[in-house]
Amino acid sequence: MRVLHVILFGVGGVGRALVRQMVEHRSLHALRYGLTLPIVALCDRDGAVVDETGIDDEALLQLVDFKAQGGRLANHPLGGPQGDPAGIVDIAGRDGTVVVDCTASEATVPALLLALERGYKIVLANKKPLTVDQEVYDRLAAAGATAGEEGGPAHPLTHHLGMSRWETTVGAGLPVIATLNRLVASGDEVSRIAGTFSGTLGYVMTGLQEGRRFSEIVREAHRLGYTEPDPRDDLGGIDVARKALILARGLGWRLDLADVQVTGLYPPEMDSLSVQEFLDALPQLDETFQRQVAEAAAQGQVLRYAATVEGQQCRVGPTLVSADSPLGRLRGTDNLVEFHTRWYHPNPLVIQGRGAGVDATAAGVLSDIVELAFTG
Ligand SMILES: NC(=O)C1=CN([C@@H]2O[C@H](COP(=O)(O)OP(=O)(O)OC[C@H]3O[C@@H](n4cnc5c(N)ncnc54)[C@H](O)[C@@H]3O)[C@@H](O)[C@H]2O)C=CC1
Ligand SMILES: N[C@@H](CC=O)C(=O)O
């Protein structure tokens, strides 16, 4: 039996769905792939449960229920405090370990880098480690590869070869990163990537079209687990900007988050509010959106939040499109990603489907883990 020991950071919506799916599919993985995936550490923001033999399934399910009710692992009878993710990798890691990041925090970066230094594998749903400094991206992406020709970093697509996966960082469970990597690996020339990359903003825009109030739809998207922990990351465009940057860096472009041109959907004075205050203040934006959507509808148009990666530049922001266009016909959390390339021309290669949701995302993370068990 092949064994991959799992250290999981983040037991929020995606992390909990992942644990449930891992437990549910244990026999599938054993019978079909001869694979077992013991979870040796489960970590939240300030606590952890560690068991080097693998936390048993009954305890895992109990722990995710405890987390769903707002519990902290530091206070659980099986758990204890932790303030240092790299320390967890140090004590719980061993040959054949995969570190899975389902947080929305930069605090995991040292743990991920340590994991790669030790020869462990990594899977990220978290976009932040990939969108901080270019140097961190290079180290995460180039793991396991030899240095580039002048001793510089190895090519930033080498993660595809075996040590790491971050498929769900763009388009949740949709195969966007795998497609990008395959296009690049084949020598195809990607000239433009465009579309709508946010499940939350798709849900909001199509909800507005149905005549619903902006505030009501955003609160619902938050409750359903589509938004980032702070929904301003979605509404301000920074989450889509991160996705655009991940795609651009995947093409080998050397850009930073500050280089992405971002237009947000709420006024900057709302940045100083707490998350709850922001959610409470949303009705003040209802009328503006209602008017914009009505004006657009009168012209046969709808509002979408679009992204473009082209000519060494990334741009994200609201735009009006024909209600009859591919973007205009999208519904709910669906994303649409077009790859315009030398071989996919004039018609682009298109990926479309659910782009947010904890179950689809967790399933994407689980596929990444299973794939990594057979690489490297
Ligand atoms: N929800 C979705 O549809 C999708 C989410 N993602 C990404 O997956 C990640 C998780 O998303 P959700 O589960 O929805 O968010 P969430 O807010 O429900 O869960 C994140 C969890 O990480 C924990 N955390 C924060 N810092 C930590 C640390 N240093 N160590 C351990 N745990 C820490 C938080 O306490 C929280 O419980 C995010 O990065 C998000 O961008 C990606 C694709 C789709
Ligand atoms: N908040 C994000 C979740 C996936 O990355 C979105 O709505 O797309």
Side-chain angles (χ1 to χ4, degrees), residues 21-317:
Q21 290 182 24
M22 287 174 72
V23 169
E24 182 185 344
H25 298 309
R26 284 221 189 278
S27 38
L28 170 99
H29 293 140
L31 293 172
R32 186 169 291 176
Y33 304 111
L35 175 65
T36 175
L37 299 170
I39 299 181
V40 295
L42 197 62
C43 315
D44 64 12
R45 195 183 299 270
D46 56 7
V49 176
V50 179
D51 180 344
E52 63 179 28
T53 63
I55 305 167
D56 80 58
D57 284 352
E58 205 180 315
L60 282 170
L61 295 176
Q62 199 273 329
L63 284 162
V64 294
D65 285 346
F66 171 78
K67 282 297 299 173
Q69 285 153 25
R72 289 168 53 200
L73 295 180
N75 297 336
H76 191 277
L78 297 176
Q82 72 90 16
D84 172 22
I88 296 286
V89 171
D90 188 34
I91 58 166
R94 72 195 86 162
D95 285 352
T97 290
V98 59
V99 175
V100 180
D101 185 350
C102 290
T103 74
S105 166
E106 289 169 24
T108 53
V109 167
L112 297 168
L113 293 175
L114 177 67
L116 291 171
E117 255 172 46
R118 298 261 169 102
Y120 310 153
K121 297 177 178 181
I122 60 169
V123 171
L124 315 179
N126 180 9
K127 297 168 264 277
K128 288 189 179 159
L130 299 167
T131 52
V132 287
D133 303 342
Q134 177 79 52
E135 187 247 337
V136 171
Y137 178 89
D138 289 342
R139 289 173 67 191
L140 293 173
T146 50
E149 271 172 26
E150 274 115 41
H155 190 278
L157 283 171
T158 42
H159 69 274
H160 190 50
L161 301 181
M163 299 302 283
S164 46
R165 290 284 186 281
W166 43 77
E167 185 56 72
T168 57
T169 58
V170 183
L174 301 176
V176 176
I177 304 287
T179 301
L180 173 73
N181 289 340
R182 288 176 61 85
L183 290 169
V184 174
S186 73
D188 199 352
E189 289 154 25
V190 180
S191 53
R192 172 182 161 90
I193 308 173
T196 59
F197 305 170
S198 169
T200 297
L201 296 178
Y203 191 75
V204 169
M205 297 304 181
T206 56
L208 287 169
Q209 255 171 273
E210 290 156 12
R212 299 181 62 204
R213 283 197 306 278
F214 181 73
S215 53
E216 177 200 333
I217 317 165
V218 173
R219 287 177 193 154
E220 190 171 83
H222 187 52
R223 187 169 45 76
L224 292 171
Y226 302 152
T227 71
E228 296 304 297
D230 185 338
R232 276 170 295 196
D233 284 4
D234 301 280
L235 298 171
I238 200 72
D239 187 65
V240 178
R242 286 200 171 97
K243 293 175 187 180
L245 181 62
I246 290 169
L247 294 175
R249 285 182 168 175
L251 287 172
W253 301 357
R254 301 185 78 75
L255 292 178
D256 288 317
L257 198 53
D259 299 319
V260 181
Q261 295 169 43
V262 184
T263 309
L265 295 180
Y266 68 88
E269 42 294 2
M270 293 178 90
D271 272 330
S272 58
L273 305 176
S274 69
V275 171
Q276 192 52 54
E277 286 167 345
F278 176 75
L279 290 169
D280 292 342
L282 282 171
Q284 63 185 257
L285 303 178
D286 286 349
E287 213 183 298
T288 312
F289 280 103
Q290 202 175 16
R291 199 178 48 249
Q292 282 181 21
V293 168
E295 282 168 10
Q299 311 288 325
Q301 293 184 312
V302 292
L303 199 55
R304 290 291 180 263
Y305 199 90
T308 314
V309 177
E310 184 174 26
Q312 302 281 328
Q313 289 186 338
C314 302
R315 270 196 329 274
V316 308

